[in-house]
Amino acid sequence: MAEKKLGFNIPRKSMIYIAMCLTGILIFVLGGILPAGKKMAELDESIVARKYALEEQTALAPFLKSLKVDSEKKGSEILPLPPKGKLSQDKLGTLPIAFSTAAKMSGMTLVSATPLLSAMTGDAQFIPINVVLRGGVIDFRKFLIQLGGIPYIQHVEEITIQEKSDTQEFKMRIWAAIG
């Protein structure tokens, strides 16, 4: 038996056309489909990240509103800086009342506020006042803020803090301008 030779007799031009078509398909796949697939994966990751950020913002929105409201309420924490003035000598009796009011507004207890009248000689422009308060450190800070709002207070000379059994005692020497 004679063996039959299986051969494909494809013309050379057809082989060139097939090679060109396969090259075109390969270029289309490598130049178009694969980069588009990578870009789609990147966009999917971006979408997931943005969805997470949006969910996070919607979950935290009430907290942001409450923080804005709280920050607007903090206006009372701003230091009062009134123009400096002088207390007339006939109103020296109102000094303890002013300190008592500042202590109440800050949550402290005023033990005493005594002006040292012995320091007033002739044409004295300042008078020292010994003030004793009881309370906490945070309330003392509030008291100092209130003290800054009194126009005739010149400066605080000294502060002494003593620890008591249930509270702290603050002793201060404050100078007030008189005139």
Side-chain angles (χ1 to χ4, degrees):
M1 283 216 218
E3 286 188 27
K4 246 185 179 179
K5 195 176 182 183
L6 292 173
F8 294 106
N9 214 2
I10 302 175
R12 184 171 181 187
K13 272 189 169 181
S14 295
M15 289 299 282
I16 291 174
Y17 287 141
I18 290 174
M20 286 176 48
C21 287
L22 288 175
T23 305
I25 291 172
L26 187 64
I27 289 173
F28 179 71
V29 168
L30 293 177
I33 295 177
L34 290 180
K38 288 181 184 177
K39 186 67 175 176
M40 290 293 286
E42 290 174 7
L43 289 175
D44 286 342
E45 289 177 15
S46 173
I47 288 170
V48 168
R50 290 182 191 256
K51 279 184 181 178
Y52 176 75
L54 182 62
E55 290 173 5
E56 188 177 50
Q57 284 182 358
T58 56
L60 296 176
F63 295 114
L64 177 65
K65 288 179 184 176
S66 67
L67 286 175
K68 283 184 180 179
V69 169
D70 288 346
S71 68
E72 290 171 1
K73 288 181 182 176
K74 297 282 181 177
S76 64
E77 296 289 327
I78 296 173
L79 294 175
L81 296 173
K84 293 293 179 185
K86 293 184 178 185
L87 181 67
S88 61
Q89 290 187 358
D90 58 335
K91 293 186 180 180
L92 284 178
T94 63
L95 281 172
I97 297 169
F99 289 117
S100 175
T101 305
K104 284 180 186 176
M105 290 179 71
S106 63
M108 296 194 78
T109 305
L110 179 69
V111 176
S112 67
T114 53
L116 298 175
L117 298 177
S118 61
M120 287 182 47
T121 57
D123 59 345
Q125 295 184 1
F126 301 103
I127 182 170
I129 305 151
N130 289 329
V131 178
V132 180
L133 300 160
R134 285 197 182 117
V137 175
I138 302 298
D139 295 332
F140 183 64
R141 178 184 176 273
K142 292 177 186 176
F143 176 77
L144 290 175
I145 291 172
Q146 293 293 326
L147 200 63
I150 301 174
Y152 49 84
I153 298 299
Q154 197 63 28
H155 66 274
V156 177
E157 183 176 315
E158 65 179 281
I159 300 173
T160 306
I161 304 171
Q162 292 180 345
E163 189 74 32
K164 298 292 182 178
S165 61
D166 60 340
T167 186
Q168 293 174 331
E169 188 172 86
F170 299 89
K171 295 180 181 178
M172 307 170 59
R173 176 163 291 163
I174 301 170
W175 288 81
I178 57 172

